[in-house]
Amino acid sequence: MKKIELLTTMLALSLTSISALPTEDTPLCEWCKAGIRENKIIMHDTCTLGELDLIQGWVCENVPIDNCDSYMTAVRGKLTDWIDSWDEDYWCKRMEWCLHDSDKPHTAITYPDPNPIAPEWCDYCHDVLGELKKVAHDPDVLIMNKDNPYIVCDIVDIPGCLVTMKLFFKWGLEPCQNIDVTQQCVQWNVCK
């Protein structure tokens, strides 16, 4: 489950860190769009929902939050709505794989009732992102990051898979290694 959490966070950070635009569609444009559509399907998969139930249970057992279960359910709803709102043209353009113009911006994640900001969420954000940054430098993670493209492409066998997965894991790991924990927690509205 930690690998899934790490990869998901790496994807989210890499999507927000890329800015240049291509002059024409790359061969990976359709593959990118298919990946966005697949993420939407995965978000509603029973296995994913089960893992989110486990994460929610762990958070509510270990983080002192009033009405934790209802709060976490609301957060999960916001996350699901956010992923469902992803526009494949917009995101694939942001990832520099598609030229398509899309005026439809992505929807930012907003947390239910972020005011006032609960200090435990700020501490939790610092703990989680600090751990993520530490893990992103771990030698085992670096090896995994190097090996995972081959593992994924052995399973899916799609043309262009290896190049795509190498870029995906590289773009995912680098932002995690260089994350400014304080700035990111403020940007996510969990710290002042």
Side-chain angles (χ1 to χ4, degrees):
M1 188 169 7
K2 284 187 177 186
K3 290 179 185 177
I4 292 171
E5 293 170 8
L6 177 63
L7 293 175
T8 303
T9 305
M10 288 169 35
L11 173 63
L13 290 172
S14 66
L15 287 173
T16 60
S17 66
I18 301 166
S19 61
L21 299 175
T23 56
E24 61 184 44
D25 284 348
T26 69
L28 301 175
C29 182
E30 285 304 314
W31 199 89
C32 174
K33 290 179 180 183
I36 297 290
R37 290 189 298 269
E38 186 64 23
N39 270 298
K40 291 179 180 184
I41 292 168
I42 289 170
M43 192 63 202
H44 296 280
D45 181 73
T46 54
C47 291
T48 303
L49 296 174
E51 287 181 6
L52 290 173
D53 287 340
L54 291 173
I55 293 168
Q56 180 171 333
W58 182 90
V59 168
C60 289
E61 287 177 20
N62 294 286
V63 180
I65 302 169
D66 292 335
N67 301 316
C68 182
D69 198 49
S70 61
Y71 182 84
M72 290 302 295
T73 299
V75 169
R76 285 175 59 178
K78 289 285 188 179
L79 176 63
T80 301
D81 291 346
W82 179 66
I83 290 174
D84 287 343
S85 76
W86 285 359
D87 178 84
E88 60 193 55
D89 288 334
Y90 175 82
W91 283 116
C92 293
K93 180 179 174 182
R94 285 286 309 263
M95 292 176 71
E96 302 178 14
W97 290 346
C98 297
L99 175 63
H100 302 291
D101 291 321
S102 175
D103 296 331
K104 184 176 171 184
H106 71 283
T107 305
I109 294 180
T110 54
Y111 296 91
D113 193 21
N115 296 316
I117 296 169
E120 63 268 11
W121 277 107
C122 184
D123 294 342
Y124 184 70
C125 182
H126 278 268
D127 291 345
V128 169
L129 291 183
E131 187 65 23
L132 177 67
K133 187 171 185 172
K134 186 173 93 178
V135 167
H137 289 282
D138 184 89
D140 290 336
V141 170
L142 297 175
I143 291 168
M144 180 180 77
N145 197 58
K146 199 173 175 182
D147 294 343
N148 273 349
Y150 297 97
I151 294 167
V152 169
C153 293
D154 282 347
I155 295 168
V156 259
D157 191 29
I158 297 173
C161 180
L162 195 56
V163 171
T164 304
M165 287 294 103
K166 284 181 179 180
L167 288 172
F168 171 78
F169 285 102
K170 177 184 177 204
W171 284 347
L173 186 63
E174 287 176 359
C176 293
Q177 291 173 329
N178 301 318
I179 190 169
D180 181 329
V181 173
T182 302
Q183 179 184 354
Q184 192 65 54
C185 291
V186 168
Q187 184 178 349
W188 285 351
N189 292 328
V190 292
C191 296
K192 293 181 182 181

